[in-house]
Amino acid sequence: YPNLQRLAEITPDVVKDFIMRCKREPLRGDKPLSESGVNQYLIALQGIFATAIKEGWYTGEIPVKVTWQQKRDKVAKYLSKDEVERLLKHAREIDATTYLFIAIAVHTGMRKDEVANLRWEDLDFERKVITLQARKADPTRGIQEFQLKSRKTRTIPLKTALAEILAPLRQEEGYLIQSKSGREVKRNRWNIPSQFGEVQKLAKVKCHPHMLRHACGFKLANDGQDTRALQHYLGHKNIQHTVRYTELSPERFRDFWKD
């Protein structure tokens, strides 16, 4: 809406049109926004008007009203070891890129875009560590700009099982995830290959990509890893995001009874 210059010009009709466009046209990435995504924008807009009224910059009505709805606790779903193994098995048979993504995600707990932006220079096979870090764009080397969600560089172990998967593919530099067509991959908000859906059907496992990260988090929590250490490992800014793993770990109550 480049022609809108003042808050007073944002009328209820403008807000309704904005909502319809968000649901109809891609705004971020390649898909229209979900209902919750639209609400995030509306809540932000509502906050702008509320602040303007409080500071005396605006005296009209707020054209949008959104209320938070308290959600019920959901039963957390995470992938079992058997489900992960089935996903890996079928991905290996169907598509190399999908297999590589699943393997890296479950063995490291990295986010989807972190996997997509991982470069061979980030892996130290001798020390067995992976360094996750932000990057500035460098077109001469084909490097795209990338920022970690936590905005903090972190180093995590390169597990032997993952090192063995990556060793035959090892290169001096470049991204691990590559396009089969040779075209440049859009690495921020990267779209996992469509074969991921086929892999789920064959493995009889319904999941979204982020559940691979959850699988790693729950595994580490069940192994009794310290919550604070797990927070830094997964790159969580807020420890409450980490607590959901440890809250569901039966291991934390293992020594409550001595019988």
Side-chain angles (χ1 to χ4, degrees), residues 157-219:
L158 172 57
K159 291 174 58 181
T160 300
L162 180 58
E164 291 175 350
I165 292 172
L166 298 177
L169 309 171
R170 187 175 176 181
Q171 299 178 26
E172 289 298 319
E173 63 176 21
Y175 289 106
L176 276 70
I177 298 293
Q178 297 288 348
S179 169
K180 289 182 290 185
S181 65
R183 292 182 296 180
E184 185 178 43
V185 175
K186 185 179 179 182
R187 300 187 179 278
N188 291 324
R189 300 191 179 279
W190 175 67
N191 290 322
I192 191 170
S194 58
Q195 287 86 349
F196 184 60
E198 186 179 351
V199 168
Q200 292 180 67
K201 290 179 181 178
L202 292 172
K204 296 182 180 179
V205 176
K206 186 176 181 180
C207 67
H208 53 78
H210 206 67
M211 286 179 66
L212 302 171
R213 171 174 163 85
H214 291 333
C216 178
F218 282 117
K219 168 66 168 60

Side-chain angles (χ1 to χ4, degrees), residues 33-215:
L33 288 178
S34 63
E35 192 77 29
S36 61
V38 174
N39 279 340
Q40 288 180 28
Y41 278 101
L42 296 180
I43 289 168
L45 183 60
Q46 183 175 262
I48 291 172
F49 274 94
T51 300
I53 291 173
K54 181 180 179 181
E55 297 294 332
W57 304 329
Y58 178 74
T59 58
E61 295 291 325
I62 298 178
V64 55
K65 292 185 179 180
V66 184
T67 56
W68 283 103
Q69 292 185 349
Q70 187 68 32
K71 295 182 178 179
R72 296 180 180 179
D73 287 344
K74 294 182 179 179
V75 177
K77 173 71 170 69
Y78 60 95
L79 301 172
S80 66
K81 180 181 179 181
D82 179 66
E83 288 174 324
V84 169
E85 289 176 349
R86 296 205 311 267
L87 287 170
L88 286 169
K89 174 182 179 296
H90 290 289
R92 190 187 301 113
E93 298 169 350
I94 291 175
D95 180 65
T97 301
T98 303
Y99 173 66
L100 189 59
F101 168 73
I102 294 174
I104 295 173
V106 299
H107 283 296
T108 65
M110 290 165 58
R111 298 179 176 90
K112 178 167 64 71
D113 285 358
E114 290 174 343
V115 176
N117 283 275
L118 187 65
R119 293 179 62 86
W120 289 104
E121 304 97 292
D122 299 328
L123 277 63
D124 188 329
F125 283 85
E126 283 64 45
R127 294 174 54 227
K128 290 191 174 183
V129 296
I130 300 173
T131 301
L132 301 178
Q133 56 192 320
R135 277 195 172 82
K136 293 182 179 180
D138 184 352
T140 63
R141 297 177 58 201
I143 296 177
Q144 299 178 30
E145 183 175 354
F146 174 64
Q147 179 59 264
L148 293 166
K149 189 173 182 179
S150 65
R151 297 187 178 272
K152 289 184 179 180
T153 297
R154 70 184 191 274
T155 301
I156 61 176
L158 172 57
K159 291 174 58 181
T160 300
L162 180 58
E164 291 175 350
I165 292 172
L166 298 177
L169 309 171
R170 187 175 176 181
Q171 299 178 26
E172 289 298 319
E173 63 176 21
Y175 289 106
L176 276 70
I177 298 293
Q178 297 288 348
S179 169
K180 289 182 290 185
S181 65
R183 292 182 296 180
E184 185 178 43
V185 175
K186 185 179 179 182
R187 300 187 179 278
N188 291 324
R189 300 191 179 279
W190 175 67
N191 290 322
I192 191 170
S194 58
Q195 287 86 349
F196 184 60
E198 186 179 351
V199 168
Q200 292 180 67
K201 290 179 181 178
L202 292 172
K204 296 182 180 179
V205 176
K206 186 176 181 180
C207 67
H208 53 78
H210 206 67
M211 286 179 66
L212 302 171
R213 171 174 163 85
H214 291 333

